[in-house]
Amino acid sequence: MLELRLDRVSKHYKQKIAVDSLEFTFRKGVYGLLGANGAGKTTLLRMMAGVLKPTAGEILCGQWEIGKMGGEYRAKLGYLPQEFGYYPNFTPQRYMRYLAELKAVPPDIAEERVEKLLEYTGLKSVAEHKIKSLSGGMIRRLGIAQSLLNHPEILILDEPTSGLDPRERIRFRNMMSALGRERLVLLSSHIVADIEFIADEILVMKGGRLIQTGNPDEIRKNAEGKVWECLAFPEEAEKLQQRFAVSNLKNMEDGKVSLRIVSDSPPAKGAAAVSPNLEDAYLYLTGSGALNRGV
């Protein structure tokens, strides 16, 4: 059985601890990584992709440390970094053929795989266009396509939905759900809904540490009894935003403001408790903007 294990993995940059003694075991399925900028997500993914070496600890694929596996690990891996490199004057087709050669995809299957992946990611119609002429969403889809070239067992994607429009994000989520049936998929995203819809298990990072792991229902339960909805006039609504974590705000036709607030106790008179979603739970776990001084 495929298994990728973090064994007390840390990464230090001079005085900064980017990743702090993480322990976790990944198996087949879709894992979502959530955390604010600076939480350590990209550093962790780069170490798991073999781009960075841990300062301490080991990343093990089965019984072997990935740095010692060399090409054997790279053959199992598909990786999409936050900013992936490409040649602007290449076409998607030429770029994919070039990477297929670099990834040692056998020539007798490379052409068919390139064509299938361009179609799979909706790039067939622009296969002969220069990459520099493509939209940001198309370029992101090309990044996803290249990560799948070697039919990887392990797929690591850093902010894969960045630049995708709503329709493309739905298509991407469906694609990842299908891929997760056969392999280990780990993706980070700032768009909580993307994680909520497809992840079998979610990891929440803060300050380089894993502060919570579990399936979406388990993560949501952390915020049970901590989410409230209330109506307020604009002046009061502004004060509530300064004091509490507001996960949603909507102007109503009667001039009032509807607020969804994450707090340990009722944030205002008349506030009604509501069931948490994953975004509420994320705000509660990370303390993002929450002062939690109940009224």
Side-chain angles (χ1 to χ4, degrees), residues 116-132:
K116 281 187 176 180
L117 286 170
L118 289 174
E119 185 170 1
Y120 189 48
T121 52
L123 294 172
K124 190 91 181 249
S125 63
V126 295
E128 297 296 339
H129 295 202
K130 288 188 175 180
I131 296 175
K132 67 181 179 183

Side-chain angles (χ1 to χ4, degrees), residues 99-156:
L99 286 183
E101 193 170 336
L102 287 183
K103 294 185 179 190
V105 178
D108 58 328
I109 63 171
E111 189 63 27
E112 181 183 2
R113 189 167 292 175
V114 165
E115 294 301 316
K116 281 187 176 180
L117 286 170
L118 289 174
E119 185 170 1
Y120 189 48
T121 52
L123 294 172
K124 190 91 181 249
S125 63
V126 295
E128 297 296 339
H129 295 202
K130 288 188 175 180
I131 296 175
K132 67 181 179 183
S133 72
L134 304 183
S135 69
M138 287 179 174
I139 291 173
R140 205 67 190 157
R141 279 188 267 153
L142 181 60
I144 294 167
Q146 65 79 27
S147 71
L148 296 169
L149 264 170
N150 56 327
H151 199 63
E153 296 177 64
I154 300 166
L155 189 58
I156 296 175

Side-chain angles (χ1 to χ4, degrees), residues 46-235:
R46 293 184 74 194
M47 288 192 290
M48 293 178 68
V51 177
L52 287 178
K53 289 184 178 181
T55 305
E58 293 183 315
I59 301 173
L60 303 165
C61 183
Q63 301 299 314
W64 299 95
E65 200 277 320
I66 63 170
K68 296 176 181 176
M69 293 176 67
E72 185 182 351
Y73 183 66
R74 290 192 295 274
K76 295 177 180 290
L77 177 71
Y79 175 49
L80 174 63
Q82 221 169 352
E83 298 292 336
F84 81 98
Y86 59 88
Y87 297 101
N89 289 314
F90 275 29
T91 66
Q93 189 172 65
R94 183 183 174 192
Y95 176 74
M96 291 285 283
R97 286 171 176 167
Y98 171 68
L99 286 183
E101 193 170 336
L102 287 183
K103 294 185 179 190
V105 178
D108 58 328
I109 63 171
E111 189 63 27
E112 181 183 2
R113 189 167 292 175
V114 165
E115 294 301 316
K116 281 187 176 180
L117 286 170
L118 289 174
E119 185 170 1
Y120 189 48
T121 52
L123 294 172
K124 190 91 181 249
S125 63
V126 295
E128 297 296 339
H129 295 202
K130 288 188 175 180
I131 296 175
K132 67 181 179 183
S133 72
L134 304 183
S135 69
M138 287 179 174
I139 291 173
R140 205 67 190 157
R141 279 188 267 153
L142 181 60
I144 294 167
Q146 65 79 27
S147 71
L148 296 169
L149 264 170
N150 56 327
H151 199 63
E153 296 177 64
I154 300 166
L155 189 58
I156 296 175
L157 308 170
D158 195 357
E159 296 290 343
T161 57
S162 175
L164 301 185
D165 65 30
R167 183 182 294 273
E168 289 174 321
R169 281 177 29 223
I170 291 169
R171 181 176 185 159
F172 169 80
R173 292 199 303 254
N174 292 339
M175 190 188 306
M176 291 303 106
S177 293
L179 289 169
R181 290 195 294 267
E182 302 272 328
R183 52 181 58 76
L184 188 167
V185 179
L186 172 60
L187 61 98
S188 72
S189 178
H190 282 93
I191 303 172
V192 177
D194 287 341
I195 299 290
E196 186 168 24
F197 280 119
I198 63 173
D200 301 307
E201 189 148 6
I202 295 167
L203 296 83
V204 183
M205 285 191 74
K206 182 179 180 181
R209 291 178 173 269
L210 285 177
I211 60 170
Q212 190 72 42
T213 64
N215 64 43
D217 285 339
E218 290 170 335
I219 299 295
R220 281 191 287 266
K221 282 179 182 176
N222 287 279
E224 287 283 357
K226 315 292 184 183
V227 185
W228 313 84
E229 286 187 352
C230 63
L231 290 172
F233 288 106
E235 297 82 3

Side-chain angles (χ1 to χ4, degrees), residues 10-13 47 53-57:
S10 297
K11 184 64 179 179
H12 301 173
Y13 295 102
M47 288 192 290
K53 289 184 178 181
T55 305

